[in-house]
Amino acid sequence: AAYTLVIGDAGKHIFHPAADTTARTFTIPANASVAYTIGTAITFINMTSQVVTIAITSDTMYLSDAGTTGSRSLAQYGSATAVKITATNWIISGSGLT
Protein backbone atom coordinates (compact mmCIF):
# COMPACT_ATOMS: atom_id res chain seq x y z
CA ALA A 1 0.00 0.00 0.00
CA ALA A 2 1.00 3.63 -0.12
CA TYR A 3 3.34 4.24 2.79
CA THR A 4 4.63 7.20 4.77
CA LEU A 5 8.03 6.52 6.26
CA VAL A 6 8.57 6.38 10.04
CA ILE A 7 11.67 6.93 12.19
CA GLY A 8 12.28 3.16 12.29
CA ASP A 9 12.90 3.17 8.52
CA ALA A 10 16.19 5.07 8.94
CA GLY A 11 19.02 3.06 7.41
CA LYS A 12 16.67 0.48 5.92
CA HIS A 13 15.17 -0.22 2.51
CA ILE A 14 11.58 0.16 1.37
CA PHE A 15 10.68 -2.69 -0.97
CA HIS A 16 7.94 -2.88 -3.61
CA PRO A 17 7.71 -6.57 -4.59
CA ALA A 18 6.96 -7.93 -8.05
CA ALA A 19 3.81 -9.62 -6.70
CA ASP A 20 2.26 -6.21 -5.93
CA THR A 21 1.10 -4.98 -9.35
CA THR A 22 -0.31 -1.68 -8.12
CA ALA A 23 1.54 1.63 -8.47
CA ARG A 24 2.50 2.91 -5.01
CA THR A 25 3.64 6.13 -3.39
CA PHE A 26 6.24 6.13 -0.63
CA THR A 27 6.40 9.47 1.21
CA ILE A 28 9.24 11.01 3.19
CA PRO A 29 7.55 13.05 5.94
CA ALA A 30 8.50 16.59 6.91
CA ASN A 31 11.23 17.10 9.49
CA ALA A 32 8.56 18.63 11.74
CA SER A 33 6.77 15.23 11.80
CA VAL A 34 9.71 12.81 11.75
CA ALA A 35 13.11 14.28 12.62
CA TYR A 36 15.59 11.90 11.01
CA THR A 37 19.19 12.73 11.90
CA ILE A 38 21.28 14.40 9.21
CA GLY A 39 23.06 11.66 7.27
CA THR A 40 20.14 9.23 7.43
CA ALA A 41 19.96 7.09 4.28
CA ILE A 42 16.87 5.24 3.09
CA THR A 43 16.88 3.03 0.00
CA PHE A 44 13.87 2.32 -2.21
CA ILE A 45 13.64 -0.78 -4.43
CA ASN A 46 10.97 -1.39 -7.06
CA MET A 47 10.63 -4.88 -8.54
CA THR A 48 7.15 -4.50 -10.06
CA SER A 49 6.24 -3.25 -13.54
CA GLN A 50 4.36 -0.36 -11.95
CA VAL A 51 6.13 2.92 -11.22
CA VAL A 52 6.77 3.79 -7.59
CA THR A 53 6.53 7.46 -6.66
CA ILE A 54 8.94 8.69 -4.01
CA ALA A 55 7.30 11.78 -2.59
CA ILE A 56 8.34 14.44 -0.08
CA THR A 57 6.00 16.59 1.97
CA SER A 58 7.00 20.15 2.91
CA ASP A 59 10.77 19.54 2.97
CA THR A 60 12.88 19.57 -0.21
CA MET A 61 14.28 16.59 -2.11
CA TYR A 62 16.90 17.23 -4.79
CA LEU A 63 17.59 14.85 -7.66
CA SER A 64 21.33 14.22 -7.64
CA ASP A 65 23.17 15.68 -10.61
CA ALA A 66 20.19 17.63 -11.99
CA GLY A 67 19.30 19.57 -8.83
CA THR A 68 15.60 19.54 -9.66
CA THR A 69 13.21 19.17 -6.75
CA GLY A 70 10.00 17.35 -5.97
CA SER A 71 8.65 13.82 -6.16
CA ARG A 72 10.51 11.18 -8.18
CA SER A 73 9.46 8.11 -10.18
CA LEU A 74 11.23 4.78 -9.77
CA ALA A 75 10.91 2.30 -12.65
CA GLN A 76 10.84 -1.50 -12.48
CA TYR A 77 14.10 -2.99 -11.15
CA GLY A 78 15.14 0.49 -10.04
CA SER A 79 16.81 1.35 -6.78
CA ALA A 80 17.33 4.76 -5.26
CA THR A 81 18.78 6.09 -2.04
CA ALA A 82 17.69 9.30 -0.33
CA VAL A 83 20.11 10.93 2.11
CA LYS A 84 19.14 13.68 4.55
CA ILE A 85 21.67 16.49 4.04
CA THR A 86 20.23 19.27 6.25
CA ALA A 87 17.28 19.54 8.64
CA THR A 88 14.82 19.97 5.76
CA ASN A 89 16.73 18.83 2.66
CA TRP A 90 17.29 15.41 1.09
CA ILE A 91 19.22 14.33 -2.00
CA ILE A 92 18.24 11.23 -3.97
CA SER A 93 20.10 9.23 -6.61
CA GLY A 94 19.84 5.82 -8.21
CA SER A 95 19.09 3.74 -11.27
CA GLY A 96 15.68 3.89 -12.93
CA LEU A 97 15.01 7.18 -11.18
CA THR A 98 13.49 10.19 -12.94
Side-chain angles (χ1 to χ4, degrees), residues 16-49:
H16 190 221
D20 180 359
T21 58
T22 302
R24 302 292 183 192
T25 298
F26 299 137
T27 303
I28 300 171
N31 186 69
S33 299
V34 179
Y36 292 104
T37 58
I38 293 171
T40 294
I42 301 170
T43 298
F44 301 86
I45 299 170
N46 182 22
M47 296 303 291
T48 188
S49 61

Side-chain angles (χ1 to χ4, degrees), residues 6-7 14 16 20-21 39 47 49 57 64 68-69 71 73 84 87 96:
V6 297
I7 196 71
I14 308 301
H16 190 221
D20 180 359
T21 58
M47 296 303 291
S49 61
T57 55
S64 183
T68 53
T69 60
S71 297
S73 297
K84 188 170 185 177

